[in-house]
Amino acid sequence: MIEHITVLLSSSGLILRGGFDFKPGEDAPAKAILLVGHGGADYWPHFQRWRKLHDGVADPLDTWSRIVIDEVADAVNARAVYPSDRPYLPFQQWAMRAEGLRPSPLGILMHPEFGLWHAYRGALLFDRALVLGEAPKTRHLCDDCPDKPCLTACPVGAFSAGGYDVGACRLHVRGDGVACRGQGCLARNACPHDAYRYPAEVQAFHMDAFVYG
Ligand code: B12
Ligand code: SF4
Ligand code: SF4
């Protein structure tokens, strides 16, 4: 089944991002879960092709993700849920369990291959166990990064020991923050693990959705 899902997703540039069986007795939405997302921006050309044919659709990336992932869910007798579903589902906690990841100082999970350049577009919930085995043990790259340039790159100091100041960030991006608007978050871009960095156009799209969405 994993190979079948991988093939179904491949025509959209999305990939499986691990999964796990929930523990018996755990307060869980299903018996098992598989996460769907991307490392780097391979989904972008597929999404753009769809978008050109569906001009003016609200929340285009969410809408496209729902179309792609709902179809996969139907094919494998699963139920799809999404990061934007309300109330918010704990996608990052699931991802930590599925892929053995830990958060960077920015709140974004650090991936051993993709760095900060990855995200989740949905999850497939199963009412049967999948027996997937343990999440891989991975090195947390932030542990080997003494200077932590991500924490000093934001022009308005939005990231601090106190957490992420969303208000200060939004104010800057809507106002003087031409670089953040055009090329993406300077703090995220300061991380040296950048082999999968999203192109500026992709970062600008997400930034726009974040500040005006
Ligand atoms: C609300 C939200 C936000 C709010 C955060 C408000 C706040 N301070 O809490 C805002 C709008 C600010 C935000 C911004 C961003 N977000 Co956001 N966000 C979410 C969302 C929809 C819900 C989070 C939540 O409350 N979950 C419910 C709790 C119960 O689940 P949880 O797993 O325990 O949640 C953890 C996170 O909330 C995390 N957290 C807390 N504060 C922050 C702040 C940031 C910046 C991040 C990334 C995480 C984070 O800690 C929680 C405990 O583990 C999630 C999707 C989801 N359903 O989880 C995406 C999500 C966390 N966001 C994500 C991302 C990438 C971003 C951005 C970096 C990029 C973007 N969207 O353009 C921006 C940051 C802006 C920037 N400077 O670039 C990704 C993270 C992926 C990853 N690789 O880890 C997620 C998972 C969405 C996705 N599709 O993959 N986000
Ligand atoms: S700059 Fe260093 S601490 Fe910050 S996210 Fe990248 S590896 Fe982690
Ligand atoms: S988007 Fe710009 S203002 Fe917001 S946290 Fe990143 S660097 Fe700071």
Side-chain angles (χ1 to χ4, degrees), residues 6 12 16 25 47 49 55 57 75-76 79 92 96 106 122 140 152 163 183 192:
T6 304
S12 58
L16 275 181
F47 167 56
R49 267 197 297 280
D55 194 28
V57 170
V76 296
R79 178 165 64 91
Q92 286 195 299
M96 288 190 257
L106 305 183
H140 185 47
T152 47
Q183 296 147 40

Side-chain angles (χ1 to χ4, degrees), residues 146-163:
D147 296 339
K148 302 201 177 349
C150 59
L151 284 177
T152 47
C154 171
V156 293
F159 294 103
S160 68

Side-chain angles (χ1 to χ4, degrees), residues 47-58 60:
F47 167 56
Q48 286 301 89
R49 267 197 297 280
W50 175 88
R51 203 172 162 206
K52 282 201 181 94
L53 300 172
H54 299 84
D55 194 28
V57 170

Side-chain angles (χ1 to χ4, degrees), residues 153-159 164-165 168-170 172-173 177 180-181 184-188 207 210:
C154 171
V156 293
F159 294 103
Y164 171 43
D165 186 342
C169 169
R170 271 211 175 97
H172 179 69
V173 181
C180 302
R181 262 200 314 277
C185 174
L186 305 182
R188 195 179 189 182
M207 191 56 78
F210 157 60

Side-chain angles (χ1 to χ4, degrees), residues 29-74:
K31 288 230 168 88
I33 183 167
L34 291 175
L35 294 173
V36 177
H38 48 89
D42 286 352
Y43 70 98
W44 186 253
H46 302 275
F47 167 56
Q48 286 301 89
R49 267 197 297 280
W50 175 88
R51 203 172 162 206
K52 282 201 181 94
L53 300 172
H54 299 84
D55 194 28
V57 170
D59 303 322
L61 185 55
D62 282 351
T63 306
W64 174 78
S65 303
R66 282 173 194 274
I67 292 168
V68 172
I69 300 171
D70 278 352
E71 202 176 309
V72 176
D74 282 349

